[in-house]
Amino acid sequence: MKNLLTYPLAAGLLIIAILSTSHAAMAIVLPGPPSLFDGPAVTPATAVHQPSPSYPPEALKQELEGTVWVKGLVGIEGDISDLEVVTTDCESCGFEEAALDAAKLYQFEPAHCGSEPVASWVSLKIEFRLP
């Protein structure tokens, strides 16, 4: 196992995502701390523009495929920042840099707490598949 991420959800739930270096990822939803039960419902951020990543030339030449998981902070205007590679299944393929470059161009409808936009963390699965 490479990474363990936790995300608070509305209605007092906590999601625990366990990301591995294999192709599989697992998520477990558990009751969260009591403080999460209070307040208005939270709707998650949703991507409205998801540009395809540029395929790294060397990976294309070698006919390599892979997946990169990236996390980032979506602001109240729908922009994304604080990008970080969480896991990749091909570390020397050039996929990480290409995934981060693509993720920088994503646009979101921000998360909302009631009617107010709020910043929230998102996980992006960016896949590289041969045409």
Side-chain angles (χ1 to χ4, degrees):
M1 239 173 281
K2 188 161 186 173
N3 290 295
L4 175 66
L5 304 172
T6 60
Y7 299 98
L9 298 176
L13 298 176
L14 181 69
I15 188 167
I16 299 174
I18 303 167
L19 304 177
S20 68
T21 55
S22 68
H23 295 289
M26 178 176 57
I28 304 166
V29 178
L30 301 171
S35 62
L36 291 176
F37 287 102
D38 299 333
V42 175
T43 56
T46 54
V48 294
H49 177 65
Q50 302 176 43
S52 297
S54 298
Y55 220 99
E58 191 61 32
L60 189 58
K61 182 179 173 182
Q62 294 180 34
E63 297 184 349
L64 300 173
E65 294 185 331
T67 301
V68 179
W69 283 89
V70 174
K71 74 173 183 175
L73 181 63
V74 175
I76 62 171
E77 299 293 324
D79 55 319
I80 190 164
S81 62
D82 299 334
L83 292 164
E84 181 182 325
V85 171
V86 176
T87 188
T88 181
D89 54 10
C90 188
E91 293 182 13
S92 61
C93 301
F95 292 149
E96 290 181 18
E97 184 177 344
L100 288 170
D101 288 344
K104 289 175 190 174
L105 301 175
Y106 274 49
Q107 286 294 310
F108 292 84
E109 175 63 34
H112 284 79
C113 183
S115 62
E116 294 294 317
V118 293
S120 65
W121 288 95
V122 296
S123 292
L124 308 173
K125 180 181 181 181
I126 301 178
E127 296 184 302
F128 294 86
R129 299 291 174 249
L130 294 169

